[in-house]
């Protein structure tokens, strides 16, 4: 616990957890299941001090001091900030304050949305006066660093940040996906500082949960190219990759968007990133590639990348999810063009034993029927005539029969 609070039943909980319980519509105490007469959360200062003391005492053993919980947002202050956002002399400070609140915890984000902030933010984002201060957005003349650092530019960046954090409903998602705000969002995805570009990717993912918006985003120029640039940015970090991969996966769910994603280099960009990504982002990146390999263009892109098979084989057994995506992608590429796959395996002849071992281990692991089917067929293909001459030592391999 970091911020213990007590209910009217006398039971103590972590604030964020009990708030999530109550906001889900539950009106009982989770432990006693007694119906609550009041949903007030009373801070347990004694327990909080004991927790802090414990962490301070234990710091010599390598335990990190517990962070102080974020202060609760005052309802009156929150309503005042939302009302004053429309005023020219206070909109910048109000949005900045709300953005700081939203970054602190999930509860603040929900309360900001409940206070009616989203329609105001969208209206500000569409405001022509703000864009007039950034000529490169309006005239499409390229990136102007001075313009992007103007008051209007800073405000639009903070609006993107705030919208990427707080909950949205479908009507609000469609308002952001309208031509004018979407055009401005994509400008910042391409031209702004790294943090704002990451927020723009997260916001794209949030609005792409509606079917018609998914399809629209795949056809709009600048969506895939901006996300590819983020993947290729060496300083993007794990959170930036997470937002980018999630956005790509969501936008590529409609089959009609996948060909364009492949044409704009999504497969190659992700393959280059996999070897240096952490486990979760490896899973996310491979999931996008597996999705794109449902079309011929995606499979062809995997075969064209000179190191794709090596990267995919290295990803086997990183985790169950990574293995599932890797093995289905490998088999999809091999079954699409066995001769091109043979050329890929030529470069891996020195790893033949390792490749076969990985595939055999997969057959005995707790993987799906589809993954095992792909592994068996890959083993058969490795033993087949088109690749046998390229890799020695596979003739003796006898793949297990499918049960």
């Amino acid at each position: 616990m970091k911020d213990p609070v007590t209910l009217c039943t006398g039971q103590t909980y972590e604030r964020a957890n009990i708030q999530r319980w109550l906001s889900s519509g539950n009106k009982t105490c989770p432990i006693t299941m007694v119906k609550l007469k009041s949903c007030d959360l009373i801070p347990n200062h004694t327990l909080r001090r004991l927790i802090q003391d414990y962490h301070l005492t234990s710091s010599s053993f390598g335990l990190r001091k517990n962070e102080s919980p974020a202060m609760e947002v005052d309802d009156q202050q929150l309503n005042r900030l939302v009302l004053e956002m429309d005023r020219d002399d206070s909109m910048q400070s109000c949005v900045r304050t709300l953005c700081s609140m939203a970054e602190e915890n999930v509860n603040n984000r929900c309360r900001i949305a409940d206070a009616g902030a989203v329609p105001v933010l969208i209206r500000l984002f569409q405001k022509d006066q703000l864009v007039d201060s950034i000529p490169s957005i309006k005239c499409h003349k390229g990136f102007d660093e001075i313009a992007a650092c103007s008051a209007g530019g800073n405000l639009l960046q903070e609006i993107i940040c705030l919208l990427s954090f707080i909950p949205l409903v479908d009507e609000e998602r469609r308002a952001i996906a309208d031509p004018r705000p979407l055009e401005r969002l994509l400008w910042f995805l391409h031209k702004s500082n790294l943090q704002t570009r990451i927020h723009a990717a997260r916001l794209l993912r949030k609005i792409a949960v509606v079917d018609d918006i998914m399809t629209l985003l795949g056809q709009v120029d600048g969506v895939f190219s901006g996300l590819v640039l983020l993947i290729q940015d060496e300083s993007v970090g794990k959170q930036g990759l997470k937002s980018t991969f999630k956005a790509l996966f969501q936008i590529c769910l409609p089959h009609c968007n996948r060909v364009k994603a492949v044409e704009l280099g999504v497969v190659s960009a992700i393959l280059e990133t996999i070897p240096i990504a952490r486990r979760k982002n490896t899973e996310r990146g491979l999931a996008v590639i597996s999705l794109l390999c449902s079309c011929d263009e995606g499979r062809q892109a995997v075969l064209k990348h000179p190191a794709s098979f090596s990267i995919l084989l290295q990803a086997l057994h990183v985790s169950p999810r990574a293995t599932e995506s890797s093995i289905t992608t490998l088999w999809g590429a091999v079954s699409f063009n066995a001769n091109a796959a043979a050329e890929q395996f030529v470069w891996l002849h020195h790893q033949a034993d390792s490749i076969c071992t990985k595939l055999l281990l997969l057959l005995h692991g707790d993987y799906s029927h589809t993954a095992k089917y792909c592994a068996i067929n890959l083993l058969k293909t490795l033993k087949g005539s088109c690749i046998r001459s390229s890799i020695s030592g596979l003739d003796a391999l006898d793949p297990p029969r499918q049960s």
Side-chain angles (χ1 to χ4, degrees), residues 18 35 38 44 71 76 89 104 115 122 146 194 196 202 204 207 254 302 316 360 363 381 386 389 397:
I18 191 62
K35 187 173 181 179
S38 169
N44 191 327
M71 293 297 293
Q76 289 186 343
D89 60 340
E104 286 185 347
I122 294 174
I146 297 175
L194 179 60
T196 301
R202 186 189 296 122
L204 281 174
I207 67 174
V302 170
L316 289 175
L360 288 169
L363 293 177
T381 305
C386 66
S389 59
L397 178 66

Side-chain angles (χ1 to χ4, degrees), residues 80-94:
R80 179 181 58 80
L81 288 169
V82 173
L83 287 172
E84 292 182 358
M85 272 199 298
D86 264 335
R87 290 172 42 187
D88 291 340
D89 60 340
S90 60
M91 64 174 65
Q92 179 94 42
S93 60
C94 289

Side-chain angles (χ1 to χ4, degrees), residues 98-367:
L98 289 170
C99 199
S100 299
M101 291 176 177
E103 289 177 331
E104 286 185 347
N105 59 55
V106 175
N107 183 55
N108 285 355
R109 299 167 196 172
C110 295
R111 294 177 65 189
I112 291 170
D114 291 342
V118 177
V120 182
L121 290 168
I122 294 174
R123 188 163 63 249
L124 291 177
F125 198 66
Q126 295 172 322
K127 203 169 185 178
D128 288 331
Q129 291 90 327
L130 294 179
V131 175
D132 287 340
S133 67
I134 312 178
S136 51
I137 293 182
K138 191 173 182 180
C139 304
H140 305 285
K141 293 182 179 179
F143 179 43
D144 183 345
E145 291 184 2
I146 297 175
C149 295
S150 66
N154 288 332
L155 177 56
L156 288 171
Q157 290 179 59
E158 288 177 359
I159 291 174
I160 291 172
C161 173
L162 185 50
L163 287 172
S164 74
F165 279 120
I166 56 183
L168 303 173
V169 298
D170 287 355
E171 182 182 351
E172 294 161 349
R173 294 185 178 99
R174 287 192 170 90
I176 297 171
D178 278 347
R180 182 182 294 179
L182 183 58
E183 179 185 24
R184 297 172 186 180
L185 176 60
L186 294 179
W187 188 91
F188 281 97
L189 177 67
H190 282 263
K191 304 294 187 179
S192 189
N193 61 69
L194 179 60
Q195 198 58 47
T196 301
R197 290 164 62 205
I198 293 171
H199 290 150
R202 186 189 296 122
L203 183 53
L204 281 174
R205 188 253 175 183
K206 289 187 70 173
I207 67 174
V209 298
V210 182
D211 289 345
D212 56 328
I213 298 178
M214 284 184 209
T215 305
L216 168 70
L217 291 177
Q219 307 307 314
V220 173
D221 291 337
V223 173
F224 288 126
S225 58
L227 294 173
V228 167
L229 287 173
L230 257 181
I231 295 172
Q232 294 172 334
D233 194 317
E234 294 180 357
S235 56
V236 66
K238 66 176 184 179
Q239 289 300 320
L241 274 182
K242 173 183 175 181
S243 298
T244 307
F245 287 158
K246 282 189 169 185
L248 281 170
F249 187 86
Q250 200 70 32
I251 296 169
C252 290
L253 285 175
H255 195 275
C256 57
N257 291 344
R258 297 173 194 174
V259 174
K260 187 171 183 179
V262 173
E263 290 174 348
L264 292 174
V266 171
V267 171
S268 177
I270 295 177
L271 283 171
E272 296 291 338
T273 306
I274 293 300
I276 57 174
R278 297 193 178 186
R279 191 190 75 169
K280 288 293 185 182
N281 280 332
T282 295
E283 294 173 352
R284 296 182 183 107
L286 289 170
V288 177
I289 292 178
S290 179
L291 184 64
L292 295 178
C293 282
S294 64
C295 64
D296 290 347
E297 291 79 3
R299 293 187 280 269
Q300 185 65 38
V302 170
L303 289 169
K304 283 185 176 180
H305 192 283
S308 62
F309 278 33
S310 177
I311 293 168
L312 293 168
L313 287 165
Q314 287 294 325
L316 289 175
H317 307 300
V318 166
S319 70
R321 288 180 61 190
T323 299
E324 295 271 347
S325 297
S326 296
I327 198 68
T328 53
T329 300
L330 279 167
W331 174 240
V334 171
S335 60
F336 175 69
N337 190 331
N339 291 326
E343 296 177 8
Q344 284 268 8
F345 279 116
V346 166
W347 297 100
L348 300 173
H349 66 276
H350 58 288
Q351 300 180 25
D353 292 339
S354 174
I355 293 170
C356 296
T357 301
K358 287 182 176 182
L359 294 175
L360 288 169
L361 286 173
L362 191 154
L363 293 177
H364 298 287
D366 186 19
Y367 297 102

